[in-house]
Amino acid sequence: MPNTETTTNIDVIMQQAFDAFNQYKKLPSQKHAAFLETIADEIEKLRNELVPVANEETNLPAARLNGEISRTTGQLKMFASLITEGSWVEASIDTADAGRTPPKPDIRKMLVPVGPVIVFGASNFPFAFSTAGGDTASALAAGSSVVIKAHPAHPKTSALVFTAIEKAIKQSGVPQYTVQHVTDTSNETGKALVTHPRTTGVGFTGSFAGGKALVEYTRQREIPIPVFAEMSSINPVVFYPDTLNKNAKALAAQYAASITLGVGQFCTNPGLLLGIKSEGFDNFLQALGEEITKVQPQKMLHSGICSSYKKGLAEMQAQQGLQVIAQSSAAVNDMEAGSLIATVSANNFLANKHFTEEIFGPYSLAVICDDKAQLIQCLQSLKGQLTSSIMATEKDIEEYADVIEVQHTLAGRIMLNNAPTGVEVCASMVHGGPYPATTDARFTSVGTTAIKRWVRPICLQNFNDNMLPDALKNDNPLGILRLVNNVYTRDAVGK
Amino acid sequence: MPNTETTTNIDVIMQQAFDAFNQYKKLPSQKHAAFLETIADEIEKLRNELVPVANEETNLPAARLNGEISRTTGQLKMFASLITEGSWVEASIDTADAGRTPPKPDIRKMLVPVGPVIVFGASNFPFAFSTAGGDTASALAAGSSVVIKAHPAHPKTSALVFTAIEKAIKQSGVPQYTVQHVTDTSNETGKALVTHPRTTGVGFTGSFAGGKALVEYTRQREIPIPVFAEMSSINPVVFYPDTLNKNAKALAAQYAASITLGVGQFCTNPGLLLGIKSEGFDNFLQALGEEITKVQPQKMLHSGICSSYKKGLAEMQAQQGLQVIAQSSAAVNDMEAGSLIATVSANNFLANKHFTEEIFGPYSLAVICDDKAQLIQCLQSLKGQLTSSIMATEKDIEEYADVIEVQHTLAGRIMLNNAPTGVEVCASMVHGGPYPATTDARFTSVGTTAIKRWVRPICLQNFNDNMLPDALKNDNPLGILRLVNNVYTRDAVGK
């Protein structure tokens, strides 16, 4: 059976994934790292083929797609570096004390992979959050096998990326079914994958409805598994008075760019702008409106997203108290979307939950509050978010410390004077946040710690040194950082 | 309203918990640590009162209760040390690079507490897993407020421990409602606590039915929260041929003690003993039987547990193929339980899932396998466990590497030549394991990393140094270990 599977023979696929896992997990980290590097190299070789195919399927421009390919190969290499360094396994050693009453046994702990992982590709990142994207890279780095469900909006791109993975599998000598590609896009196939007994984890980036459906499916399992779904966020931005007073025009330019970047098709798109009624806020909104009207309508990823966007806008415009302050010129075809900025009073906002709905696209709603108390009330009414931005001067930061404190509780990433779009791939990134931004605020889907989604700790008690994995051996042959008798060290035990 | 609450006014309690959390979390770690130390000191002062009250309520002997009080105060102090050292927050810093295209922002990450935690006391550990036990200690260390639901089997003990907490609250100057005590023991109260919007996490140690009910309750929430339930485990022990051949009598003595320790009322009680048919295994079982018959019946924790044990035994004895090989003399009253050892062939074991049911008490079932293949099959048929013990010589370890590999996948803690009872409280402990041993194999309820259950990471982007929490400031005023630009260091940033 080929790795690429278009039937719904999920039992066969998952058994292959399980058998591959049991071999793959035993390979040394260098092998895993070399595999990830080779995937990156093979994708790089395909760059010139990938860009036009993805452009055709997603309407994303070549420059963006090229950047996204670089991000994807960068992520693969980042995880290769992480596991080559090796300390990510959180090795911890408590040595024996035979003299204690009762005698204290030797106990050693580390993180180990759990089993096959299902990765659902995202429509808005055909490379970086899809076939060989962050979920796949982090799962392979952890030592898991992966079954990828290709996104229906870019099947050719996904298949082409998968050819790079297949080449890397052969070249690296990892088990044939370490990564498999399922192109059958029915909901039934998705359900069969996440409910299969061999499946041990799920990575998903997409809509709230999609993520919630996966969670519901897994609730039918006898053995629960984690679903890491990154779903829905309106990324509130608070514009504080002093900065509005001093920087209205610059802020407008910064946010017009952020709102319309990639036709607004980012989970970190700033969909909610909050401020206290003032001349500064008025000036900002006017300038933002002027910037937005300059932006020409652009093609969205696919017609489904575009029609959802237009339907979302129409529903939003029908809400009591919403006032459109600026929009792009009308779109010329049904794939194109124009930008739209609207305002609403905090009173109307607080009275109607619909205003907090995400509209995926270049839309943003400004909430005009009467005072600080109402601003806090608006923030407290929000659900969990990926990001929360603080646009403020030093003076604002001092005067509005209590509001900023509320901003900290809302999201996984809190920014000062940055727009939320642009997610840095690094160890310190949290691309995650309280529900419904994600299903599990304790994890991130971007950055090195994304690897922690696919592992569990085990502890080994009273083992002989020669039975221990390298990470836990006395000599510390991997040279990793370990917690030995409550002290962090790279030293051998007993040295 | 007093901290001790016997009504079901859960809304008031949870709002108090939330308000207390918002103050408590802002206190420096030294304050949290001092609070934990003071709770320990106040419990120590009550030791002589606590032991007879707990003995009356639980039938546990004074020596055990004294040991458990020491463990409880030890845990509180361990978490105080952990947060005083401070590196547990996993601080991570990626500094800015203005020269990169696009410019790289400064990004810093750490763990922060999430909100009020509900702790359900356990019947079998009136101190160490109850009112001021590991769940409470780890949550307070993380910066959470705590609402304790007292266990109905030892309400006086719980109330008395809570007086120590109340004294510590006053002495330490932490918010009055940082810890609250709910003594209403109805299921409705438990449900109201875990479904309350202000609740952000649940710690539970008890039966599978109890843990599952809590999970079901939380599924009714709009915003999901983690339930950390440690539920059910039969702690399989594999006795390999060479060690049986050489050490049958010593093994029998070791396991008779482990099976009957504390009238078998431990989640780590060895309920399943597996081996390959041999003279050694026969000798072991015979010697085990002899040891077991010497053990006098003893009082269990309460009559409910005792009647469940007897009902469980009766049901098990009715299963096809079960053969009782030894039991204690008959119990003299309905609080007392005798020990029982039975055997079953692997064929019968594999044919009937009932044999894998946990019977909470001094019972163990020996599974007699025909060969290695059948032993592997038996292990693969098991659900997730807290522990998995390997009783083996060097020769066994070499010859049975494939069986041992399966043992690694079953549990959170894997032991060589140790009995599973006795859970060391230390950094490297994993008291957890795949479902249904716990609801979440990624966490432990014993040891310092238990603190990770009550936190989430946040990242702060482009913050001024003076806005950052101490853990993330350039100068590293806490002197903690941090990951700075992918290097672990205690140095200041830029040094």
Side-chain angles (χ1 to χ4, degrees):
Chain A
M1 174 164 299
N3 287 13
T4 301
E5 181 51 56
T6 54
T7 75
T8 54
N9 201 345
I10 302 303
D11 268 342
V12 174
I13 290 169
M14 291 315 302
Q15 188 59 42
Q16 287 172 172
F18 180 71
D19 293 340
F21 167 68
N22 282 322
Q23 298 305 313
Y24 180 73
K25 72 175 180 185
K26 283 191 264 185
L27 300 175
S29 295
Q30 302 96 291
K31 270 279 206 183
H32 294 158
F35 178 43
L36 291 168
E37 298 265 8
T38 308
I39 297 174
D41 293 344
E42 290 300 327
I43 289 173
E44 190 54 57
K45 286 183 200 164
L46 282 178
R47 182 185 284 269
N48 292 338
E49 284 178 66
L50 283 167
V51 171
V53 171
N55 171 261
E56 175 71 29
E57 286 188 320
T58 66
N59 298 316
L60 294 170
R64 148 71 193 269
L65 291 168
N66 268 301
E68 200 184 319
I69 290 174
S70 299
R71 176 175 168 169
T72 305
T73 57
Q75 287 176 160
L76 288 157
K77 289 175 181 179
M78 177 188 74
F79 283 110
S81 298
L82 181 80
I83 62 178
T84 300
E85 194 282 328
S87 302
W88 75 274
V89 298
E90 298 178 6
S92 172
I93 296 173
D94 287 277
T95 55
D97 180 359
R100 202 194 60 176
T101 312
K104 184 182 172 193
D106 183 283
I107 299 181
R108 304 183 184 216
K109 179 172 70 167
M110 67 180 291
L111 299 174
V112 296
V114 181
V117 164
I118 312 296
V119 171
F120 287 80
S123 67
N124 60 338
F125 278 90
F127 300 119
F129 282 92
S130 288
T131 320
D135 288 344
T136 299
S138 58
L140 292 174
S144 311
S145 58
V146 172
V147 177
I148 298 155
K149 186 164 180 294
H151 196 283
H154 50 74
K156 288 177 194 161
T157 307
S158 192
L160 195 52
V161 171
F162 187 65
T163 64
I165 298 176
E166 284 189 299
K167 282 181 201 149
I169 288 172
K170 281 192 190 136
Q171 284 173 46
S172 311
V174 302
Q176 183 186 357
Y177 299 112
T178 301
V179 190
Q180 296 175 87
H181 192 236
V182 175
T183 55
D184 175 343
T185 56
S186 67
N187 283 352
E188 288 64 36
T189 299
K191 182 177 176 182
L193 285 167
V194 302
T195 55
H196 196 279
R198 290 299 191 202
T199 298
T200 61
V202 179
F204 169 86
T205 303
S207 68
F208 177 69
K212 200 159 166 27
L214 291 180
V215 170
E216 289 300 329
Y217 293 155
T218 59
R219 285 183 176 178
Q220 299 167 25
R221 297 176 59 95
E222 187 192 350
I223 308 292
I225 57 168
V227 176
F228 300 99
E230 191 261 86
M231 302 184 292
S232 159
S233 183
I234 54 174
N235 303 297
V237 182
V238 180
F239 295 86
Y240 289 92
D242 190 49
T243 196
L244 283 172
N245 199 31
K246 288 174 177 155
N247 310 307
K249 285 223 162 167
L251 291 170
Q254 183 185 13
Y255 272 85
S258 179
I259 291 164
T260 60
L261 186 72
V263 205
Q265 298 167 120
F266 290 108
C267 10
T268 52
N269 190 60
L272 196 70
L273 317 174
L274 303 106
I276 296 170
K277 183 178 280 196
S278 69
E279 203 186 312
F281 201 19
D282 287 344
N283 292 340
F284 164 73
L285 291 172
Q286 193 187 330
L288 181 66
E290 285 162 13
E291 295 281 347
I292 288 291
T293 47
K294 288 183 211 159
V295 179
Q296 290 305 306
Q298 280 179 283
K299 278 191 186 170
M300 293 191 83
L301 289 161
H302 55 82
S303 57
I305 281 189
C306 194
S307 66
S308 290
Y309 174 65
K310 288 169 182 170
K311 186 162 161 266
L313 282 189
E315 280 170 13
M316 196 60 82
Q317 287 181 254
Q319 304 303 312
Q320 175 84 34
L322 183 125
Q323 210 174 339
V324 174
I325 59 165
Q327 52 190 313
S328 311
S329 54
V332 295
N333 71 43
D334 65 2
M335 289 283 273
E336 279 187 356
S339 309
L340 189 145
I341 304 291
T343 62
V344 67
S345 72
N347 281 330
N348 279 323
F349 178 79
L350 289 166
N352 182 353
K353 282 279 171 207
H354 191 86
F355 288 120
T356 63
E357 294 288 311
E358 183 185 20
I359 298 180
F360 195 73
Y363 153 83
S364 198
L365 176 66
V367 181
I368 300 168
C369 302
D370 289 339
D371 51 26
K372 191 205 259 196
Q374 206 174 35
L375 175 57
I376 290 178
Q377 220 184 333
C378 287
L379 290 171
Q380 286 174 336
S381 78
L382 296 178
K383 292 180 186 168
Q385 306 289 337
L386 291 171
T387 72
S388 171
S389 298
I390 302 157
M391 306 306 291
T393 62
E394 290 280 355
K395 182 164 174 265
D396 289 323
I397 291 164
E398 249 176 62
E399 284 176 20
Y400 291 89
D402 46 353
V403 188
I404 290 171
E405 194 180 314
V406 177
Q407 286 202 261
H408 272 72
T409 65
L410 292 177
R413 182 162 57 110
I414 302 105
M415 273 159 285
L416 179 67
N417 295 325
N418 274 183
T421 42
V423 179
E424 190 64 32
V425 181
C426 64
S428 306
M429 176 49 59
V430 178
H431 188 62
Y435 190 90
T438 74
T439 45
D440 196 334
R442 296 170 299 176
F443 295 88
T444 174
S445 60
V446 175
T448 45
T449 47
I451 197 172
K452 301 286 172 77
R453 295 175 297 168
W454 318 118
V455 293
R456 68 179 178 97
I458 60 168
C459 86
L460 305 177
Q461 182 173 320
N462 195 38
F463 269 41
N464 304 332
D465 199 61
N466 62 1
M467 280 179 78
L468 289 166
D470 284 351
L472 298 178
K473 281 192 195 336
N474 283 332
D475 278 355
N476 194 15
L478 303 179
I480 60 176
L481 185 74
R482 310 190 293 189
L483 188 65
V484 178
N485 296 323
N486 295 312
V487 175
Y488 291 97
T489 177
R490 292 183 193 260
D491 289 347
V493 172
K495 290 286 158 64
Chain B
M1 173 163 302
N3 287 13
T4 302
E5 181 52 56
T6 53
T7 75
T8 53
N9 200 346
I10 302 303
D11 268 342
V12 175
I13 290 168
M14 292 314 304
Q15 188 59 41
Q16 287 172 171
F18 180 72
D19 293 340
F21 166 68
N22 282 322
Q23 297 306 311
Y24 180 73
K25 71 175 180 184
K26 283 190 264 186
L27 299 175
S29 295
Q30 302 97 289
K31 270 279 205 183
H32 294 159
F35 177 43
L36 291 168
E37 297 266 8
T38 309
I39 296 173
D41 293 344
E42 290 299 327
I43 289 172
E44 191 54 58
K45 287 183 199 162
L46 282 179
R47 182 185 283 270
N48 293 337
E49 284 178 67
L50 283 167
V51 171
V53 171
N55 170 263
E56 175 72 29
E57 287 189 319
T58 66
N59 298 315
L60 294 170
R64 148 73 193 268
L65 290 168
N66 268 302
E68 199 185 319
I69 290 174
S70 299
R71 176 175 169 169
T72 307
T73 57
Q75 287 177 159
L76 287 157
K77 288 175 182 180
M78 177 188 74
F79 282 111
S81 296
L82 181 80
I83 61 178
T84 299
E85 195 281 328
S87 301
W88 75 274
V89 298
E90 297 179 7
S92 173
I93 296 173
D94 286 276
T95 55
D97 179 359
R100 201 195 60 176
T101 311
K104 184 182 171 193
D106 182 283
I107 299 181
R108 304 184 183 215
K109 178 170 70 167
M110 67 180 290
L111 299 173
V112 296
V114 181
V117 164
I118 312 296
V119 171
F120 286 81
S123 68
N124 60 339
F125 278 91
F127 300 119
F129 282 92
S130 287
T131 321
D135 288 345
T136 299
S138 58
L140 292 175
S144 310
S145 58
V146 173
V147 177
I148 298 154
K149 186 163 180 295
H151 197 282
H154 50 73
K156 287 177 193 160
T157 307
S158 193
L160 195 53
V161 170
F162 188 65
T163 64
I165 298 176
E166 285 189 299
K167 283 181 198 146
I169 288 172
K170 280 192 189 132
Q171 284 173 44
S172 311
V174 302
Q176 183 186 357
Y177 298 113
T178 302
V179 189
Q180 297 177 85
H181 192 235
V182 175
T183 56
D184 175 343
T185 56
S186 67
N187 283 352
E188 288 66 36
T189 299
K191 182 177 176 182
L193 285 168
V194 302
T195 55
H196 197 279
R198 290 299 192 202
T199 299
T200 62
V202 179
F204 169 87
T205 302
S207 68
F208 177 68
K212 201 157 166 27
L214 291 180
V215 170
E216 290 299 329
Y217 293 156
T218 60
R219 286 183 175 178
Q220 299 168 25
R221 298 176 58 97
E222 187 192 350
I223 308 292
I225 57 169
V227 175
F228 300 99
E230 191 261 85
M231 302 184 293
S232 160
S233 183
I234 55 174
N235 304 297
V237 182
V238 179
F239 295 87
Y240 289 92
D242 191 48
T243 196
L244 283 172
N245 199 31
K246 289 175 176 152
N247 311 307
K249 284 223 161 164
L251 291 170
Q254 182 184 15
Y255 273 84
S258 180
I259 292 164
T260 60
L261 186 72
V263 207
Q265 299 166 118
F266 289 109
C267 10
T268 53
N269 191 60
L272 197 70
L273 317 174
L274 302 107
I276 296 171
K277 182 179 281 195
S278 68
E279 204 186 311
F281 201 20
D282 287 345
N283 292 340
F284 163 74
L285 291 171
Q286 192 187 331
L288 182 67
E290 285 163 12
E291 296 281 346
I292 288 291
T293 47
K294 290 182 210 160
V295 180
Q296 291 305 307
Q298 281 179 284
K299 279 190 185 170
M300 294 190 82
L301 289 161
H302 55 82
S303 56
I305 280 188
C306 194
S307 66
S308 290
Y309 174 66
K310 288 170 182 170
K311 186 162 162 266
L313 281 189
E315 280 171 9
M316 195 60 83
Q317 287 182 253
Q319 304 302 312
Q320 174 85 35
L322 184 126
Q323 207 174 340
V324 174
I325 59 165
Q327 52 189 315
S328 313
S329 56
V332 296
N333 70 42
D334 65 2
M335 289 284 272
E336 280 187 355
S339 309
L340 190 145
I341 304 289
T343 62
V344 68
S345 72
N347 282 330
N348 280 322
F349 178 78
L350 288 166
N352 182 354
K353 282 278 168 205
H354 192 86
F355 287 120
T356 63
E357 293 288 311
E358 183 185 19
I359 299 180
F360 195 74
Y363 154 83
S364 197
L365 176 67
V367 181
I368 300 169
C369 303
D370 290 338
D371 52 24
K372 190 205 260 195
Q374 206 174 34
L375 175 56
I376 290 179
Q377 222 185 330
C378 288
L379 290 171
Q380 285 173 336
S381 78
L382 296 177
K383 293 180 186 169
Q385 305 289 337
L386 291 171
T387 72
S388 170
S389 298
I390 302 157
M391 306 306 290
T393 61
E394 290 280 354
K395 181 164 174 267
D396 289 323
I397 291 165
E398 248 174 65
E399 284 177 21
Y400 292 88
D402 45 353
V403 188
I404 291 171
E405 194 181 313
V406 177
Q407 286 203 262
H408 273 71
T409 65
L410 292 177
R413 182 162 57 111
I414 302 106
M415 273 159 287
L416 179 68
N417 295 325
N418 274 184
T421 41
V423 179
E424 189 65 32
V425 181
C426 64
S428 305
M429 175 49 59
V430 177
H431 187 63
Y435 190 91
T438 73
T439 44
D440 196 335
R442 296 170 299 176
F443 295 88
T444 175
S445 61
V446 176
T448 45
T449 46
I451 196 172
K452 301 286 171 76
R453 295 175 296 168
W454 319 116
V455 292
R456 68 178 177 97
I458 60 168
C459 87
L460 306 177
Q461 181 173 322
N462 195 38
F463 270 41
N464 305 331
D465 199 61
N466 62 1
M467 278 178 80
L468 289 166
D470 284 352
L472 298 178
K473 282 192 198 327
N474 283 331
D475 278 355
N476 194 14
L478 303 178
I480 60 177
L481 185 74
R482 310 190 293 188
L483 187 65
V484 178
N485 295 323
N486 295 312
V487 175
Y488 291 97
T489 177
R490 293 185 193 257
D491 290 346
V493 172
K495 290 286 156 65

